[in-house]
Amino acid sequence: MKIAVVHEWLATYAGSEKVLEQILLMFPQADLFSVVDFVPEKERGFLQGRTPRTTFIQKLPKAARWFRHYLPLMPLAVEQHDLSGYDLIISSNHAVAKGVLTGPDQIHVCYCHSPIRYAWDLQHQYLQESGLTRGLKSWLARGLLHYMRLWDLRTANGVDHFVANSGFIARRIRKVYRREAEVLPPPVDVSGFALATEKEDFYLAASRMVPYKKMPMIVEAFSRMPDRQLVMIGDGPDMDRCRAAAGPNVKILGYQSFESLRSHMQRARAFVFAAEEDFGIAPVEAQACGTPVIAFGRGGALETVVESEDPAQRTGLFFAEQEADAIIAAVERFERGPAFDPAVCRQHAEKFSTEAFRARFLDIIARITR
C-alpha cells in the first residue's frame, strides 16, 4: 500500500510528535504531510530524515513564530494536500489534520489526541484564559470557534476508523462526532526511565507552566505545608505566579534537561499532577521510575494511575477538586496510608511502552485493511 501520514503542525518534539515518531517507525515507506514545518534542526531526529510536505501557511509572514494565529486558514490549507494517490491515510489529529480530503476507495485512520479542545467543551475556559470574555475580539473569537466546530464535525465523516488516546477522549469523540473510537494509549518511553527503589523526602511537580496545568495551585498547597519539600520543574507563562506563591520549602528549578528531570522523578517521594489531561505522559514516566502519583482524579489520569486497596495494584491516589485544600488533604492521606511498592508502579507503567503501542497499532491497521 501507498501510505500518507498527516500531522497537525511540526514545531517541536512533544507529546503528539512522539506518537508521530512511532507511526513513522512502523511505516518507513510513508510520506509525511503537515500544515507547517518549523522543527529546529537539533530536534529533527524523530522525522527520520523526512522532509514533510507543507501548505501555503509555511510561507505566510512571521509564520515560524505565529503560525497558530493562522488557525482560521488551516481548514482551507489542510484541504489542499493532494492525497489522491494513497491507499491508506493515517492522521495524527488534535485540530485540523483529519480534515484532509479522501475518496471512497481510500482508508483513513485517525489517531485522535482530542477533538479541537478550545472549540468544543473547553471553549469558555479558553476565552477566559485568553482574556476574550467580552468586547469585539471576544465575539470574533466566538464566531471563529463556531465555524471551527462546524468544519470539525463535517470532516469527521471523512474518517473511516477513529483511534483515541484514552477512554476520556473516546467519550469526547462520541459526544461531538457521534462516532465510536478504539482506545490506544500513546507510547511512553518507559525504557528511558529506570526503576529506583530509594526515595528522598521531597515531592515533585514537573510540567509546562500553562494555566490548565494548575502549577501555581500546587505551589500554594505546599507553601501551606512548610514541613514538606516540593521541587518544581518547568517553565511557561505561569512561572511568575509560581514564584510569587512559593514558600521557603518550594524549590522552583525552571526548565531542566531530560537527565535532571529523570533523576528527580527517580528520587521523589511522589509525583504531584493537578491537570485534567486527555492522557498525561508525565505520570506514566514517574511510575516507570517507581514513583507513585498524587493526581487530580479526572481525565486521562484515571486510566494511568491505579488507586486501590490492593498493594499489588496500587500506584497512586486521587484528589477530587482542583484546589489547594484538596492537594493538602491528598498529601496527608498519602503519608498516613501504607507504603507504595516501586516495582508495582514500574510494572504498571510498562503497559504503556512504545513496544506495546506499536504492536497494537499494527494490529488495528492490519484488521481494518485486510
Side-chain angles (χ1 to χ4, degrees):
M1 288 191 300
K2 195 172 181 185
I3 301 173
V5 176
V6 186
H7 190 66
E8 218 75 69
W9 47 70
L10 292 162
T12 187
Y13 179 57
S16 64
E17 286 72 33
K18 292 177 181 178
V19 173
L20 174 65
E21 179 180 29
Q22 295 304 315
I23 293 174
L24 295 177
L25 284 170
M26 286 183 278
F27 304 102
Q29 76 277 29
D31 293 325
L32 179 59
F33 296 80
S34 180
V35 171
V36 295
D37 173 21
F38 295 116
V39 179
E41 195 61 39
K42 63 181 180 180
E43 296 181 17
R44 298 187 69 82
F46 75 98
L47 295 176
Q48 301 149 42
R50 289 176 174 83
T51 300
R53 303 180 195 184
T54 57
T55 70
F56 65 84
I57 293 178
Q58 180 84 19
K59 298 181 180 180
L60 293 181
K62 299 184 179 179
R65 185 174 181 183
W66 302 110
F67 66 88
R68 290 179 178 84
H69 289 69
Y70 290 115
L71 179 66
L73 297 177
M74 287 187 185
L76 173 64
V78 79
E79 290 174 349
Q80 305 315 304
H81 283 311
D82 182 4
L83 305 183
S84 57
Y86 294 90
D87 305 297
L88 173 64
I89 292 88
I90 301 172
S91 59
S92 168
N93 179 83
H94 60 76
V96 300
K98 76 173 189 350
V100 290
L101 303 179
T102 59
D105 295 322
Q106 296 174 296
I107 298 174
H108 182 180
V109 178
C110 174
Y111 187 88
C112 188
H113 307 279
S114 177
I116 309 175
R117 300 174 184 87
Y118 37 84
W120 292 99
D121 52 312
L122 299 184
Q123 171 185 296
H124 301 292
Q125 177 181 327
Y126 164 75
L127 292 172
Q128 185 174 14
E129 291 174 354
S130 303
L132 294 171
T133 56
R134 55 173 58 90
L136 178 60
K137 287 185 178 180
S138 173
W139 285 107
L140 289 173
R142 292 171 194 269
L144 168 62
L145 294 175
H146 178 71
Y147 158 71
M148 292 298 295
R149 279 192 293 275
L150 295 175
W151 181 85
D152 191 38
L153 182 59
R154 180 190 66 75
T155 57
N157 293 324
V159 175
D160 297 291
H161 193 86
F162 275 103
V163 182
N165 68 358
S166 66
F168 178 66
I169 292 304
R171 294 192 296 276
R172 185 177 279 167
I173 289 170
R174 187 182 306 117
K175 182 78 171 181
V176 302
Y177 301 148
R178 294 294 187 232
R179 297 284 300 277
E180 295 301 315
E182 192 164 352
V183 176
L184 174 58
V188 181
D189 184 18
V190 173
S191 62
F193 294 83
L195 171 65
T197 58
E198 298 296 323
K199 304 299 178 182
E200 299 177 19
D201 193 22
F202 70 89
Y203 293 83
L204 174 68
S207 174
R208 289 179 295 122
M209 293 185 179
V210 292
Y212 85 94
K213 297 284 189 178
K214 306 295 182 183
M215 296 292 267
M217 183 183 71
I218 298 175
V219 173
E220 177 191 346
F222 276 86
S223 296
R224 290 166 52 188
M225 298 184 286
D227 56 333
R228 297 179 176 97
Q229 302 298 310
L230 173 69
V231 174
M232 181 163 281
I233 291 175
D235 202 351
D238 275 353
M239 172 65 88
D240 290 341
R241 291 182 59 203
C242 288
R243 292 183 192 269
N249 62 317
V250 176
K251 185 183 296 185
I252 300 177
L253 302 183
Y255 174 81
Q256 295 289 297
S257 67
F258 170 75
E259 290 74 17
S260 175
L261 171 64
R262 178 176 57 192
S263 173
H264 282 88
M265 278 188 169
Q266 290 171 325
R267 294 181 287 117
R269 186 173 183 179
F271 184 80
V272 183
F273 188 74
E276 181 181 343
E277 285 279 19
D278 303 331
F279 176 75
I281 289 177
V284 179
E285 294 173 338
Q287 290 170 85
C289 296
T291 301
V293 178
I294 300 172
F296 176 50
R298 288 191 64 181
L302 291 173
E303 300 171 50
T304 60
V305 180
V306 180
E307 182 172 11
S308 172
E309 296 298 323
D310 184 354
Q313 298 185 37
R314 182 174 59 237
T315 69
L317 55 82
F318 300 113
F319 53 93
E321 304 291 339
Q322 286 180 311
E323 297 177 354
D325 287 340
I327 295 178
I328 293 170
V331 170
E332 292 173 347
R333 186 157 54 93
F334 174 85
E335 295 185 356
R336 287 196 308 267
F340 286 79
D341 185 344
V344 171
C345 295
R346 170 72 188 193
Q347 184 178 24
H348 178 64
E350 288 173 349
K351 298 176 183 177
F352 304 96
S353 69
T354 54
E355 294 78 11
F357 174 85
R358 288 200 297 265
R360 282 203 55 204
F361 195 89
L362 286 171
D363 177 69
I364 291 169
I365 297 298
R367 180 165 20 96
I368 65 178
T369 57
R370 67 165 60 106

